Amino acid sequence: GSEEAIQRLSYVRRVRIARSDDDLRDASISKLKKIILLEPATTRLGELLVPVSTRPLSEVEIRRSLEQAFSKKSSNTLYKRACALSRYVEGFLLLNHRGSPLRLKEFDLYSYLGHLENEKAGATAASSFIEALRFLDSVAVLTCADLGRVLSPRITGFAHQQFLRKAPLKQIGRAS
């Protein structure tokens, strides 16, 4: 009946079109390249991609270096982290913060989390962002920020409070 049709439609809306592994990885590398090259000096990887003392790398060499640097990460993880970081860079610029988004300051991160809350972002958006920063630091190595200092208890607590709003998972279409 109509109730079944509504349930099916609801399910169809929740199912994402699966992207191929290569598509996810390609989109992720493109996002990460833009972020890292905003100000190459803010990461060790950026410094390697845009060397000051030697000849510049070609676009192909930069792309290959990024693919190699992030090769140990699964495509889905890479995509999730790249999207969270891209959203942060857009938010940083939207909030008119001065400087580079990767010259992390506790105040800027706190105001960004407030922005996520005001924008009614999902309950996991703040914690996903923090995971993305840790991920970026583990691979690209942030040179202008110490995550231990900028990810203050105020920041991690804010993200945790947001995460607690997450609705419990529900099983769909369970056979009786």
Side-chain angles (χ1 to χ4, degrees):
S2 65
E3 192 173 314
E4 282 179 37
I6 291 169
Q7 281 182 331
R8 261 197 311 277
L9 184 59
S10 175
Y11 176 75
V12 167
R13 284 188 185 134
R14 284 192 304 265
V15 175
R16 292 190 183 149
I17 297 168
R19 295 174 77 172
S20 80
D21 221 43
D22 289 343
D23 287 347
L24 281 179
R25 189 161 285 280
D26 191 51
S28 305
I29 295 293
S30 294
K31 288 176 187 289
L32 291 165
K33 177 183 167 196
K34 282 181 191 163
I35 293 165
I36 290 168
L37 294 184
L38 272 175
E39 190 181 353
T42 57
T43 64
R44 182 75 188 104
L45 181 56
E47 291 172 339
L48 296 171
L49 297 176
V50 186
V52 179
S53 58
T54 60
R55 73 164 179 81
L57 270 63
S58 70
E59 283 298 309
V60 171
E61 290 170 315
I62 289 173
R63 183 87 187 181
R64 185 159 184 242
S65 294
L66 287 165
E67 287 168 354
Q68 290 166 338
F70 291 100
S71 67
K72 292 182 181 178
K73 306 298 178 183
S74 82
S75 297
N76 287 329
T77 298
L78 202 55
Y79 190 69
K80 182 178 176 182
R81 304 291 185 250
C83 287
L85 291 166
S86 291
R87 185 179 194 177
Y88 162 66
V89 169
E90 289 166 15
F92 182 92
L93 300 172
L94 186 73
L95 295 167
N96 291 317
H97 288 302
R98 299 196 186 285
S100 163
L102 295 184
R103 289 184 184 273
L104 304 171
K105 293 177 187 68
E106 197 271 359
F107 172 80
D108 293 337
L109 298 184
Y110 188 76
S111 80
Y112 174 66
L113 295 184
H115 167 73
L116 286 178
E117 184 179 43
N118 293 339
E119 293 292 310
K120 306 275 188 261
T124 61
S127 55
S128 292
F129 165 61
I130 290 172
E131 288 170 18
L133 283 178
R134 289 185 173 131
F135 163 83
L136 185 66
D137 189 38
S138 75
V139 179
V141 187
L142 296 167
T143 57
C144 297
D146 174 3
L147 283 189
R149 294 185 70 165
V150 293
L151 294 180
S152 67
R154 178 168 89 143
I155 300 284
T156 56
F158 194 142
H160 181 69
Q161 280 182 332
Q162 295 304 304
F163 184 80
L164 292 176
R165 294 181 317 146
K166 186 176 189 278
L169 295 175
K170 294 177 186 163
Q171 198 166 4
I172 300 168
R174 191 171 166 194
S176 41

